[in-house]
Amino acid sequence: MKTEKRSVEAQYNQLEKGRTDMRGRMDYLESLLNMHRKYEPYQKINVEYWKLKKAKETKGKGGFLGFAKKSEAEKYRMEYQIELTTYKMYRNVIKGMIVEQDFKSVLKLWQKELDGLKEKYAKTQRLFSGAVVDLAKVEVFNHNRKDLERMLEKENHKRAISKERNITI
């Protein structure tokens, strides 16, 4: 019985560790995705600002067109200064959240990995539930066996006491 309990506990511990690791990774990816959703609107504003700022370089050197685009970029920067600052803040937060070395902010990869982990997590649910039920069965069986042993011992003790009383009377 003890060996069966050990094997069931080993199976349970292995499944629990795997599920805990998956849950941790899923939480990590969900937090990255949530932060990226907050970051995305500001990213669009930053991209537009850089398009206007780089217009001078792409349209030629000097000239009225480059100056007009540059002043347009400055006007845009002044208008969206809070959003551009917020963009930098969110970018730094996301960079700080990423634990992989060369793992850039790739939203589709994060979502794909999260979906795969959710699917794998759901598949392990049945095995995990079975291990929990098996472990509970073993525990209940052990408790009932100990309770039965205790009751038998109590009965034997009562019989021994009643025999002693009958002999002395």
Side-chain angles (χ1 to χ4, degrees), residues 31-47:
S31 68
L32 280 175
L33 289 168
N34 287 336
M35 185 56 72
H36 196 276
R37 285 185 199 105
K38 293 177 185 177
Y39 167 72
E40 206 167 17
Y42 301 109
Q43 187 179 24
K44 291 175 183 175
I45 291 170
N46 189 58
V47 167

Side-chain angles (χ1 to χ4, degrees), residues 45-46 48-57 65-84 88:
I45 291 170
N46 189 58
E48 184 64 30
Y49 170 67
W50 279 99
K51 281 181 186 176
L52 293 171
K53 192 171 181 178
K54 299 257 181 185
K56 180 179 180 184
E57 297 170 11
L65 183 61
F67 179 74
K69 287 289 185 180
K70 185 175 182 182
S71 64
E72 193 175 311
E74 290 303 315
K75 187 190 302 182
Y76 189 86
R77 184 180 64 80
M78 294 302 270
E79 185 177 340
Y80 292 101
Q81 189 169 7
I82 293 172
E83 288 84 355
L84 291 169
K88 291 176 186 175

Side-chain angles (χ1 to χ4, degrees), residues 12-168:
Y12 170 81
N13 290 336
Q14 181 183 10
L15 287 169
E16 183 183 36
K17 184 186 179 319
R19 288 175 57 86
T20 302
D21 293 345
M22 277 191 272
R23 186 74 243 163
R25 182 69 180 172
M26 287 169 37
D27 290 343
Y28 166 71
L29 290 170
E30 286 173 349
S31 68
L32 280 175
L33 289 168
N34 287 336
M35 185 56 72
H36 196 276
R37 285 185 199 105
K38 293 177 185 177
Y39 167 72
E40 206 167 17
Y42 301 109
Q43 187 179 24
K44 291 175 183 175
I45 291 170
N46 189 58
V47 167
E48 184 64 30
Y49 170 67
W50 279 99
K51 281 181 186 176
L52 293 171
K53 192 171 181 178
K54 299 257 181 185
K56 180 179 180 184
E57 297 170 11
T58 57
K59 295 293 182 182
K61 297 181 181 178
F64 179 71
L65 183 61
F67 179 74
K69 287 289 185 180
K70 185 175 182 182
S71 64
E72 193 175 311
E74 290 303 315
K75 187 190 302 182
Y76 189 86
R77 184 180 64 80
M78 294 302 270
E79 185 177 340
Y80 292 101
Q81 189 169 7
I82 293 172
E83 288 84 355
L84 291 169
T85 305
T86 307
Y87 161 79
K88 291 176 186 175
M89 180 191 72
Y90 276 121
R91 184 187 66 205
N92 290 336
V93 169
I94 287 178
K95 281 184 177 182
M97 289 174 69
I98 298 174
V99 294
E100 290 87 5
Q101 289 290 33
D102 295 330
F103 200 73
K104 294 185 178 181
S105 175
V106 183
L107 186 64
K108 289 180 183 178
L109 289 177
W110 292 341
Q111 189 63 50
K112 185 178 178 181
E113 183 181 355
L114 180 62
D115 292 341
L117 283 172
K118 283 182 178 178
E119 187 177 312
K120 192 175 179 182
Y121 192 80
K123 286 180 182 177
T124 62
Q125 179 62 37
R126 181 173 227 112
L127 291 173
F128 187 71
S129 297
V132 169
V133 168
D134 290 345
L135 192 58
K137 286 178 185 176
V138 169
E139 288 295 323
V140 168
F141 183 76
N142 282 338
H143 174 73
N144 289 345
R145 185 177 48 81
K146 287 178 185 176
D147 195 38
L148 180 62
E149 287 173 358
R150 183 189 54 79
M151 289 170 66
L152 290 174
E153 190 175 307
K154 188 176 180 181
E155 254 183 56
N156 288 338
H157 183 67
K158 281 183 181 179
R159 282 185 193 151
I161 290 175
S162 67
K163 278 185 183 179
E164 285 179 16
R165 286 186 186 163
N166 287 341
I167 293 174
T168 57

